[in-house]
Amino acid sequence: MMCPKTELHNGLSFGTRSVLLCLILTFTVCVAEQSELICSHQPIVALAGDDVILPCYLDPPISASSKTVVWTRPGLDPKYIHVHYSPVYLRQNPSYNNRTRLFDDELQNGNVSMKIFKVKISDAGKYFCTLRSMLKEASIQLTVGAVSTPIIEVVAYSTTNSVLQCESKGWYPEPEVVWLDGEGNLLSAGPTETVRGPDDLYTVSSRVTVENIHHNFTCRVQQKDINQTRETHFNFIDGSVPAGTIVVTVSVPVFVVILAIFICWKCCSKS
Ligand SMILES: *[C@@H]1O[C@H](CO)[C@@H](O)[C@H](O)[C@H]1NC(C)=O
Ligand SMILES: *[C@@H]1O[C@H](CO)[C@@H](O)[C@H](O)[C@H]1NC(C)=O
Ligand SMILES: *[C@@H]1O[C@H](CO)[C@@H](O)[C@H](O)[C@H]1NC(C)=O
Ligand SMILES: *[C@@H]1O[C@H](CO)[C@@H](O)[C@H](O)[C@H]1NC(C)=O
């Protein structure tokens, strides 16, 4: 670099100051180049409706306050999720309007993490954080799930055996359903019925036939990708059998009696 030599009144030559400036600039650029942009390698898991932070930072820390920080999701149009300090206008994807922020106080420590408010299932995917001036880019995966507590109903009831149905609405991704007895042993149940709603959420239901003698049953709905489990217990002792199902208890013997009379009548009329 050309550093002109011009004596100034304050004694320090312009040349010396230029050299100092050159050194400082070189130092800054060096530090900037050594700094790495690091985003979490682990996927970030959140439940729909939660606020979530996608952690990314410069290490060693240098201020990103007056640098252009751009968060994008390739594949979306427009792909810009959040833009900080850009000399040109980059249109934000409208589905993220008013839902993102960077942390002003943290930017000066090189922390370029982005917060997304009220995440949606559709927010799941790969995000990129880019610092153009430093030619740095890193990516981070966001996984979004949805859960709900199952509900157990008695769909058939007799004094010895009953059929229980467990239903849970509003899961994402698709969960699995298991039944457990009072000792925590797996019960063999019918196949799980799965329905996907227009909102992309799954409703699952499963039926199991149980002996009433085991009093405490558990329906457990679980999703391993988002590490979530919801369960509901059912207890015959609590008098949880709804009045409507008692009809089945009464009507089965009545039906048997009618059938017996009918068979008798058929037999009698033959002879
Ligand atoms: C974002 O906030 C502004 C001002 O509060 C409001 O006018 C705009 O409708 C909001 N946009 C969305 C998508 O909620
Ligand atoms: C970055 O800022 C966020 C929000 O304040 C904070 O949760 C996170 O711990 C910070 N990360 C680092 C590496 O300081
Ligand atoms: C039923 O079992 C679960 C654990 O499997 C337990 O947490 C719950 O308290 C039990 N309920 C009753 C009424 O015994
Ligand atoms: C899953 O969740 C449980 C409790 O909620 C926690 O103890 C465990 O560390 C979590 N596992 C993973 C892999 O996140």
Side-chain angles (χ1 to χ4, degrees), residues 142-200:
L142 173 64
T143 302
V144 182
V147 301
S148 78
T149 302
I151 294 166
I152 297 179
E153 265 185 293
V154 181
V155 291
Y157 179 75
S158 79
T159 44
T160 52
N161 284 307
S162 298
V163 179
L164 303 181
Q165 173 171 282
C166 174
E167 186 177 74
S168 195
K169 292 179 177 170
W171 278 82
Y172 193 86
E174 184 179 352
E176 56 176 351
V177 183
V178 293
W179 286 93
L180 307 167
D181 67 13
E183 283 85 48
N185 304 310
L186 275 180
L187 295 172
S188 69
T192 300
E193 274 184 40
T194 306
V195 179
R196 192 163 189 184
D199 49 7
D200 279 349

Side-chain angles (χ1 to χ4, degrees), residues 1 19 78 83 117 129 144 182 268:
M1 193 184 284
V19 168
V83 178
F117 297 91
C129 178
V144 182
C268 295

Side-chain angles (χ1 to χ4, degrees), residues 19-270:
V19 168
L20 271 175
L21 193 65
C22 291
L23 281 174
I24 290 167
L25 271 175
T26 314
F27 181 71
T28 314
V29 169
C30 277
V31 168
E33 275 169 0
Q34 278 167 5
S35 233
E36 284 304 318
L37 177 59
I38 298 169
C39 294
S40 170
H41 298 303
Q42 300 290 330
I44 303 300
V45 179
L47 294 181
D50 286 355
D51 298 341
V52 69
I53 292 175
L54 303 184
C56 283
Y57 57 92
L58 287 163
D59 185 36
I62 54 163
S63 176
S65 295
S66 49
K67 288 188 161 55
T68 302
V69 182
V70 181
W71 278 88
T72 55
R73 254 185 85 188
L76 290 196
D77 184 27
K79 65 177 181 176
Y80 301 103
I81 308 302
H82 192 103
V83 178
H84 168 79
Y85 207 80
S86 174
V88 293
Y89 174 71
L90 302 170
R91 194 168 84 91
Q92 185 194 35
N93 188 293
S95 72
Y96 289 86
N97 275 176
N98 300 346
R99 289 206 298 130
T100 59
R101 67 167 287 201
L102 304 192
F103 298 89
D104 290 337
D105 296 345
E106 297 280 347
L107 279 166
Q108 63 202 34
N109 308 320
N111 183 343
V112 293
S113 303
M114 175 175 69
K115 184 167 186 170
I116 305 177
F117 297 91
K118 293 196 167 60
V119 288
K120 307 170 187 175
I121 298 291
S122 57
D123 291 345
K126 198 173 192 179
Y127 289 75
F128 283 84
C129 178
T130 312
L131 281 117
R132 288 181 184 182
S133 62
M134 294 170 62
L135 304 173
K136 300 290 182 199
E137 182 168 82
S139 70
I140 186 166
Q141 183 76 34
L142 173 64
T143 302
V144 182
V147 301
S148 78
T149 302
I151 294 166
I152 297 179
E153 265 185 293
V154 181
V155 291
Y157 179 75
S158 79
T159 44
T160 52
N161 284 307
S162 298
V163 179
L164 303 181
Q165 173 171 282
C166 174
E167 186 177 74
S168 195
K169 292 179 177 170
W171 278 82
Y172 193 86
E174 184 179 352
E176 56 176 351
V177 183
V178 293
W179 286 93
L180 307 167
D181 67 13
E183 283 85 48
N185 304 310
L186 275 180
L187 295 172
S188 69
T192 300
E193 274 184 40
T194 306
V195 179
R196 192 163 189 184
D199 49 7
D200 279 349
L201 301 181
Y202 292 93
T203 294
V204 285
S205 64
S206 167
R207 288 184 176 195
V208 69
T209 303
V210 295
E211 288 173 36
N212 301 348
I213 197 139
H214 296 116
H215 292 302
N216 190 0
F217 298 98
T218 300
C219 172
R220 178 179 291 164
V221 184
Q222 57 196 21
Q223 218 306 323
K224 296 201 171 81
D225 297 347
I226 55 170
N227 191 28
Q228 292 290 327
T229 299
R230 294 292 181 278
E231 57 184 37
T232 297
H233 307 297
F234 178 83
N235 199 327
F236 282 104
I237 294 174
D238 290 346
S240 318
V241 178
T245 55
I246 303 292
V247 175
V248 180
T249 329
V250 180
S251 62
V252 167
V254 170
F255 177 73
V256 169
V257 169
I258 292 172
L259 192 69
I261 291 171
F262 178 76
I263 291 168
C264 257
W265 176 73
K266 274 280 186 192
C267 292
C268 295
S269 59
K270 263 184 201 162

